[in-house]
């Protein structure tokens, strides 16, 4: 079991910023992918960003490109999601997840371990 502990959520006004953190008990696995997902009220869960813990490669949902940045600190076994220029439509529960995939992807299928979620609320 991979243990994931998320933090950094909160309530901000539109245009604000938050940085989410996800600390993993297991991190440096071959072909390991760390994904950030979110689920807004009344919507399905969607992929936001991923990073390959092996290569550092990343990708983002179109809706967050240019505003969100995913990064990793291998020494701390931690993945971050820097969220800038937040919009009300970014309001959601945000989850990090681990997948053993090649290549990494934003789709949920294949991500095996999930964090508890952290709430992000953006007011207008």
């Amino acid at each position: 079991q991979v243990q994931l502990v998320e933090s950094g959520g909160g309530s901000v006004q539109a245009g604000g910023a938050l940085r989410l953190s996800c600390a993993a008990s297991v991190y440096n696995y071959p072909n390991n992918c760390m994904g950030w997902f979110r689920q807004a009220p009344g919507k399905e869960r969607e992929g936001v960003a991923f990073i390959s813990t092996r290569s550092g490669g990343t990708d983002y949902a179109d809706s967050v490109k240019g505003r969100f940045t995913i990064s990793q600190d291998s020494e701390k076994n931690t993945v971050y999601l820097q969220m800038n220029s937040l919009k009300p439509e970014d309001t959601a529960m945000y989850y990090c997840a681990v997948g053993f995939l090649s290549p990494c992807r934003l789709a949920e299928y294949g991500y095996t371990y999930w964090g508890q979620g952290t709430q992000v609320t953006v007011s207008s």
Side-chain angles (χ1 to χ4, degrees), residues 27 32-35 49-53 56-58 70-72 79 104:
Y27 190 77
N32 192 30
C33 306
M34 293 292 297
F50 70 71
I51 186 166
S52 168
T53 60
T58 62
I70 190 170
S71 61
Q72 64 182 342
V79 172
C104 297

Side-chain angles (χ1 to χ4, degrees), residues 1 3 20 22 27-28 30 50 62 69-70 74 76-77 79 85 101 104 112 115 120:
Q1 175 70 40
Q3 305 293 328
L20 307 183
C22 178
Y27 190 77
N28 192 25
F50 70 71
D62 288 343
T69 303
I70 190 170
S74 297
K76 297 180 179 180
N77 290 347
V79 172
S85 302
L101 310 167
C104 297
T112 305
V120 172

Side-chain angles (χ1 to χ4, degrees), residues 49-110:
F50 70 71
I51 186 166
S52 168
T53 60
R54 171 179 48 83
S55 72
T58 62
D59 200 11
Y60 301 87
D62 288 343
S63 60
V64 307
K65 285 182 179 177
R67 299 188 298 119
F68 290 11
T69 303
I70 190 170
S71 61
Q72 64 182 342
D73 184 336
S74 297
E75 185 173 291
K76 297 180 179 180
N77 290 347
T78 300
V79 172
Y80 305 96
L81 186 68
Q82 179 67 46
M83 305 185 296
N84 297 328
S85 302
L86 284 162
K87 304 174 180 179
E89 52 262 45
D90 296 317
T91 295
M93 285 289 297
Y94 283 73
Y95 303 87
C96 64
V98 172
F100 301 98
L101 310 167
S102 182
C104 297
R105 59 176 178 257
L106 289 173
E108 285 190 52
Y109 186 82

